[in-house]
């Protein structure tokens, strides 16, 4: 009995993946649920596990090939199987190995081998030997036969010839270099290519503008300092950060300015009474934006817990695909990397994104006096096709007011 290893459902709007790396080789013993192959999608890397314990069969798709959902990648033979280097199993009906190298894939012609050298135990039957000589097939290609003492029979040869050809993975090309030996050219990952394409598409499609403001973080810092320990103790170690304050401030402002949370769909505008809040986090393969669904229903602790979980899973590469789709508005915090000011790009098809930045002590005028306050620049990039300038500026001012006086969030004013 054998079990097929297929490309799983990859999540909303994701239909293809790239074979990033085979983690097991043909003939390797695998345990049930043990990762066998790593796929790279437009959003994250996904490990595909063996459905049951056994021995891994031939790899039907080579590293670097692009595959669709449902494609059969390999199979697992239950129990003990053939040793490494044995002949590849026949591909399932209707499935052909994915070619990687250019040109037709053909079974290599191998000169007939010296049967005596193979040893009597595996020597082909005379009828089998005749066909093998005509077709240029060696005993090593067929492997152990079904005849007595493992001898190759005529039926074994005919079965081998009936198999569809299996594409061989091309040798890994040497990393190309530039003319300068101190430079090295590295191929972009699929995730990085997708990020680049989507950001450029957003610039080409949307009418993007950015408006700026600055926030006095004094009240937020005092609130955090006063209640940080109590908050952490009450909520099982969840830390109180500035992100939850900004998230709450954003969601309150979105109620007043729903166009900022809306989306263009053809000639229609889709307005929403909920907020699926995307939070940009850095992972080993680039920036990803996991989504807190129905974020307006969560408490400060719920938001902080969700963000902490996203950050951890982004770092260890375990974010799920369904966590990265469906956002309606996003927040990105370049301040954690030291950014003082930037113009973020929207995460299409969303219509706006808020950029947070580093907190820096600066002199400002308060009641006619120059004082030093912890200040943060904030930026709102928005699609002018759906959000008017007045709405965008008013939205950002409301966010500023909510953060500078968090009591407004409690009173909903």
């Amino acid at each position: 009995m054998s079990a097929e290893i297929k490309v799983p459902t990859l999540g909303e709007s994701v239909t293809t993946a790239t074979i990033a790396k085979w983690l097991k080789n043909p003939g390797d013993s695998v345990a049930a649920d043990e990762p066998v192959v790593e796929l790279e999608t437009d959003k994250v890397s996904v490990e595909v596990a063996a459905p049951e314990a056994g021995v891994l069969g031939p790899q039907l798709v080579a590293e670097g090939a692009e595959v669709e959902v449902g494609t059969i990648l390999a199979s697992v033979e239950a129990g003990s199987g053939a040793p490494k280097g044995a002949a590849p199993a026949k591909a399932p009906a209707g499935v052909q190995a994915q070619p990687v190298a250019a040109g037709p894939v053909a079974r290599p012609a191998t000169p007939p081998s010296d049967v005596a050298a193979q040893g009597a135990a595996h020597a082909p039957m005379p009828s089998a030997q005749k066909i093998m000589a005509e077709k240029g097939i060696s005993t090593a290609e067929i492997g152990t036969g079904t005849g007595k003492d493992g001898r190759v029979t005529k039926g074994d040869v005919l079965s081998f010839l009936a198999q569809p050809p299996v594409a061989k993975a091309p040798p890994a090309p040497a990393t190309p270099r530039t003319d300068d030996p101190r430079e090295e050219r590295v191929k972009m990952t699929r995730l990085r290519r997708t990020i680049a394409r989507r950001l450029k598409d957003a610039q080409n499609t949307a009418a993007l503008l950015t408006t700026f403001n600055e926030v006095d973080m004094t009240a937020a810092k005092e609130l955090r300092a006063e209640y940080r320990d109590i908050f952490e103790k009450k909520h099982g170690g969840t830390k109180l950060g500035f992100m939850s304050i900004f998230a709450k401030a954003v969601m309150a402002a979105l109620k007043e300015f729903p166009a900022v949370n809306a989306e263009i769909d053809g000639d229609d505008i889709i307005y929403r009474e909920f907020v699926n809040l995307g939070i940009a986090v850095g992972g080993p393969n680039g920036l990803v934006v996991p989504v807190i669904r129905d974020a307006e229903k969560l408490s400060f602790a719920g938001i902080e817990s969700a963000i902490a979980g996203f950050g951890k899973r982004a770092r260890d590469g375990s974010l799920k695909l369904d966590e990265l789709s469906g956002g309606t508005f996003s927040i990105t915090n370049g301040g954690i990397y030291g950014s003082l000011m930037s113009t973020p790009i929207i995460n299409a098809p969303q219509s706006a994104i808020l950029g947070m930045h580093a907190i820096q002590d600066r002199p400002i005028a308060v009641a006619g006096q120059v004082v030093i306050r912890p200040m943060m620049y904030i930026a709102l990039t928005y699609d002018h096709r759906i959000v008017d300038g007045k709405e965008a500026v008013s939205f950002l001012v409301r966010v500023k007011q909510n953060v500078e006086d968090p009591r407004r969030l409690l009173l909903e004013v």
Side-chain angles (χ1 to χ4, degrees):
M1 294 292 292
S2 63
E4 296 173 338
I5 301 174
K6 298 181 179 180
V7 177
T9 300
L10 300 170
E12 181 183 354
S13 75
V14 181
T15 59
T16 63
T18 300
I19 305 296
K21 183 180 181 181
W22 280 98
L23 307 176
K24 293 289 184 177
N25 295 315
D28 285 350
S29 297
V30 294
D33 298 325
E34 182 178 5
V36 172
V37 60
E38 181 180 306
L39 307 180
E40 188 178 75
T41 73
D42 291 349
K43 298 178 178 180
V44 293
S45 295
V46 178
E47 289 184 343
V48 181
E52 61 181 53
V55 176
L56 184 67
Q59 300 165 354
L60 300 180
V61 187
E63 290 182 1
E66 186 168 334
V67 290
E68 297 181 350
V69 172
T71 299
I72 300 174
L73 305 176
S75 62
V76 175
E77 299 292 334
S80 59
K84 295 182 182 180
K90 184 176 181 180
V95 177
Q96 187 170 356
Q98 303 294 321
V100 177
V105 179
R107 185 177 292 108
T110 305
S113 59
D114 184 350
V115 174
Q118 304 292 336
H122 296 284
M125 297 290 191
S127 58
Q129 184 178 352
K130 179 180 179 182
I131 301 175
M132 291 169 63
E134 293 175 352
K135 300 296 183 180
I137 303 171
S138 68
T139 307
E141 288 181 87
I142 299 178
T144 303
T146 59
K148 184 178 180 180
D149 296 327
R151 296 187 70 183
V152 176
T153 67
K154 178 180 180 181
D156 294 329
V157 178
L158 295 177
S159 296
F160 176 79
L161 291 172
Q163 294 178 14
V166 177
K168 288 188 175 183
T175 304
R177 288 184 173 273
T178 63
D179 293 336
D180 191 327
R182 297 169 298 175
E183 297 178 343
E184 184 174 16
R185 188 186 304 273
V186 178
K187 188 176 181 62
M188 293 173 69
T189 64
R190 177 172 175 147
L191 176 60
R192 177 57 60 186
R193 294 198 308 270
T194 300
I195 290 172
R197 187 189 72 246
R198 287 182 174 174
L199 293 180
K200 188 58 182 174
D201 287 347
Q203 287 183 320
N204 294 339
T205 303
L208 299 182
L209 290 178
T210 304
T211 182
F212 298 91
N213 215 312
E214 59 180 351
V215 178
D216 184 345
M217 296 292 293
T218 300
K221 290 188 70 172
E222 290 176 349
L223 176 71
R224 182 170 180 248
E226 183 174 354
Y227 292 102
R228 178 169 47 197
D229 294 340
I230 298 173
F231 184 93
E232 186 173 346
K233 183 177 180 181
K234 178 177 177 61
H235 297 292
T238 299
K239 299 181 182 299
L240 177 61
F242 294 126
M243 187 62 80
S244 60
I245 298 175
F246 272 91
K248 284 288 190 180
V250 160
M251 288 185 287
L254 289 175
K255 289 183 180 180
E256 291 187 67
F257 306 98
V260 184
N261 192 46
E263 173 187 329
I264 293 179
D265 183 16
D267 293 331
D268 300 326
I269 298 176
I270 301 174
Y271 291 96
R272 302 180 175 92
E273 296 180 355
F274 62 90
V275 179
N276 286 348
L277 188 63
I279 303 293
V281 294
N285 295 320
L287 191 72
V288 291
V289 188
V291 176
I292 305 175
R293 302 188 184 279
D294 297 317
E296 77 282 357
K297 298 179 181 179
L298 297 182
S299 64
F300 282 84
I303 293 172
E304 290 290 357
S305 178
I307 293 172
F310 287 154
K312 181 179 183 302
R313 294 197 295 281
R315 289 188 295 272
D316 61 25
S318 62
L319 278 172
K320 298 179 180 178
L321 284 165
D322 59 3
E323 294 178 303
L324 300 169
S325 60
T328 63
F329 183 92
S330 295
I331 299 177
T332 181
N333 184 8
I336 61 176
Y337 304 112
S339 173
L340 185 61
M341 183 180 290
S342 66
T343 55
I345 300 178
I346 63 172
N347 187 24
Q350 298 171 29
S351 296
I353 182 172
L354 178 76
M356 298 167 55
H357 299 92
I359 300 172
Q360 190 175 70
D361 286 344
R362 293 200 300 272
I364 64 170
V366 177
Q369 301 292 322
V370 177
V371 296
I372 303 297
R373 292 290 177 85
M375 303 298 294
M376 176 195 289
Y377 290 116
I378 56 176
L380 179 75
T381 297
Y382 59 98
D383 187 347
H384 207 357
R385 296 177 302 165
I386 185 173
V387 182
D388 293 334
K390 179 181 177 181
E391 286 180 297
V393 172
S394 299
F395 171 86
L396 198 60
V397 168
R398 183 66 75 231
V399 172
K400 165 187 169 70
Q401 292 171 342
N402 290 339
V403 175
E404 289 186 339
D405 186 359
R407 295 173 297 177
R408 298 176 63 100
L409 300 174
L410 178 62
L411 299 174
E412 297 184 349
V413 296

